[in-house]
C-alpha cells in the first residue's frame, strides 16, 4: 500500500512540476529551470527506486 501511495504522490509531483514549469517559462519567471529540470528529475528518480524495490521484492529466491 505504501508503494502505491508513493507512486501516486511522485507521479503527481512530476506532472505538476512540468505544468508549473511550462507556465513559468511563458510568464518569464526565474524558477523555470528548477521546475522543469530538478523537480521532475527527482520525481523520476523516486519512481525508478520504487520500481526497483518492487521488482526486488517480487523476484523469486534462488536456491
Amino acid at each position: 500500500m505504501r508503494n502505491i501511495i508513493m507512486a501516486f504522490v511522485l507521479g503527481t509531483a512530476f506532472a505538476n512540476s512540468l505544468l508549473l514549469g511550462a507556465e513559468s517559462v511563458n510568464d518569464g519567471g526565474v524558477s523555470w529551470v528548477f521546475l522543469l529540470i530538478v523537480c521532475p528529475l527527482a520525481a523520476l528518480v523516486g519512481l525508478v527506486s520504487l520500481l526497483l524495490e518492487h521488482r526486488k521484492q517480487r523476484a523469486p529466491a534462488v536456491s
Side-chain angles (χ1 to χ4, degrees), residues 21-41:
E23 185 177 328
S24 180
V25 168
N26 291 337
D27 292 342
V30 295
S31 64
W32 67 269
V33 173
F34 181 72
L35 289 171
L36 279 178
I37 297 172
V38 177
C39 287
L41 201 58

Side-chain angles (χ1 to χ4, degrees), residues 3-14 43 47:
N3 288 342
I4 295 171
I5 294 170
M6 284 301 297
F8 178 77
V9 168
L10 289 170
T12 304
F14 177 76
L47 283 170

